[in-house]
Each structure stands twice: as C-alpha cells, then as structure tokens.
Amino acid sequence: MGSSFDPDRIAALRGQTGTAPVKRDSAARKLLWQRAIALTLGFVALLYAIEGVDSLVHHKLDNGGVHPRTFDGLDGIAFAPLLHAGWPHLIGNTLPILILGLLTLLTGIGRGLAATAVIWIVGGLGQWLTGDSGSNHLGASVLVFGWLTYLISRGFFTRQPWQILLGVVVGLLYGSILWGVLPGQPGISWQGHLFGAVGGVIAAWVLSSHVRRHRRGDSVGRPA
C-alpha cells in the first residue's frame, strides 16, 4: 500500500511540536506567579489577622515571642515571626515581606518554602541562644533578613546569570538594611536580623546543592 508525502502537513506538525514546550513553559510560569502571589498575600493577611486579635486581647499574644535560654521561650521559635509589637512594627515590615517573600517563592514554591523554614528555625534558635536574658524577640524581620541574603547569595552559589542579576538588584534595593545585623539600636532584635541573615545564606547553599553537583559533574566529564 502506497504512502503519500505532504510537506505542508509535516511542516505544520513540526511547528505544533515546537510550540508545545513553549506553551507549557508559559503556563508553568503563570501558575508559579499565581501561587507565589497567593501565598505571599495570604501570609501578610495572616499577620494582620493575628495583630488584630492581639490588639483585642491587649497584646497578650506578644508574650509568645522568643525568650532566650528559657524552656518556655523555645515555643517562640515557632510563633515569634508571626507576632509584632504593635501596628507600626507590622506596617514597617509589610512592604519588604511582600517584595522579598514573593521573590523567594518565585525561585520555586517548594524551594521558597524550604528556604523560609530554614531561615525561620536558624533565626529563632540564634535569638534563643544569644539574646539578652529577660528579653522578648518577635517580628517577621527575621524572615525579611533571611529572604534578602537568600536572594543575594543564591546566584553566586548556582552561578546562573539571571539569579546573580536578581541578587544584585535586590542587594541594591535592600542591602542597606543589613546594617541592622549590628547591635546598637535599643528595642531592635539585632540577633534576629543577624541569624535570619545567616539562615538565608545557609538555605541558599543547601538548596543549590544539586546545581553545584551538576556543575562539578560537567567539569569532570568535559575533556581537557
């Protein structure tokens, strides 16, 4: 049985095949943005809801912060980033949370959530271990500093140009706040800032390990 050859049909099929990955990539990027925006806005809404409840109970929730080197204060590691010392404190953190939190999630939802978890834990433990006795540490600035250093350092670990560019831009926009890791201003948890920032670098290092391994494998396999 004979077969027919239709160049126009074959060209059309090739064109459809070539556009399919592009469409899938575009849909994936759109879904990533939608999820990242929803999670970021949801987190900020949660912070405002908690602060609203805290205001109604005369700020009793603020006692749930990190109390250094006390057994009861360990609970604060889980809750402190959700609590703020009044509306001005929360409002001051809102824009950095929106921008840096969104950018962190845009590196990948799972990756961004994992980075946030590392920052959350490292920042809280650092506050608990090094904070002044009798102090109470709370606020999402731990996450803000961690997201900032995560975004700045990730590109240097992966050596991917667009991530390096993102890190440079973020550094130029927000890098000046890193002075907050230094002690000096009363009432400010510089320990939270410092260890949040440390957590961001750790998260960037750990979560880029697969890229580094792949790069080393390419270097080994490449002929001299």
Side-chain angles (χ1 to χ4, degrees):
M1 185 174 180
S3 61
S4 61
F5 177 77
D6 187 343
D8 293 335
R9 177 173 174 77
I10 292 175
L13 289 173
R14 287 177 176 172
Q16 292 174 3
T17 302
T19 58
V22 175
K23 290 181 179 179
R24 284 197 298 269
D25 289 345
S26 178
R29 283 194 297 269
K30 182 179 179 181
L31 182 60
L32 174 62
W33 273 89
Q34 290 173 341
R35 290 178 175 176
I37 290 172
L39 286 170
T40 304
L41 292 178
F43 182 65
V44 171
L46 174 64
L47 295 180
Y48 273 78
I50 291 172
E51 188 59 32
V53 172
D54 193 33
S55 298
L56 292 176
V57 298
H58 307 290
H59 301 286
K60 292 181 180 178
L61 296 183
D62 290 349
N63 292 325
V66 175
H67 298 269
R69 294 175 302 284
T70 66
F71 182 77
D72 292 340
L74 284 170
D75 292 343
I77 295 173
F79 300 113
L82 302 174
L83 304 171
H84 289 82
W87 291 108
H89 187 197
L90 174 56
I91 292 170
N93 278 337
T94 298
L95 186 59
I97 291 171
L98 287 170
I99 295 175
L100 298 176
L102 176 62
L103 291 174
T104 296
L105 290 173
L106 287 175
T107 66
I109 299 298
R111 188 178 298 114
L113 292 176
T116 300
V118 172
I119 294 163
W120 200 302
I121 294 170
V122 173
L125 282 174
Q127 289 175 317
W128 188 84
L129 290 170
T130 66
D132 295 333
S133 297
S135 60
N136 181 26
H137 299 253
L138 65 164
S141 56
V142 170
L143 303 180
V144 169
F145 276 75
W147 288 332
L148 175 61
T149 56
Y150 169 78
L151 292 167
I152 291 174
S153 60
R154 178 171 167 77
F156 292 99
F157 292 141
T158 63
R159 298 184 187 177
Q160 294 179 351
W162 74 269
Q163 291 183 357
I164 293 174
L165 177 61
L166 175 62
V168 170
V169 172
V170 169
L172 290 174
L173 290 175
Y174 283 101
S176 61
I177 72 172
L178 288 174
W179 290 109
V181 303
L182 300 176
Q185 189 172 350
I188 300 298
S189 176
W190 64 268
Q191 295 95 339
H193 297 172
L194 173 61
F195 285 97
V198 170
V201 176
I202 293 173
W205 172 259
V206 171
L207 296 173
S208 64
S209 60
H210 65 292
V211 178
R212 298 197 309 276
R213 284 196 302 268
H214 181 72
R215 188 173 63 242
R216 287 196 298 267
D218 287 347
S219 298
V220 172
R222 189 180 301 119

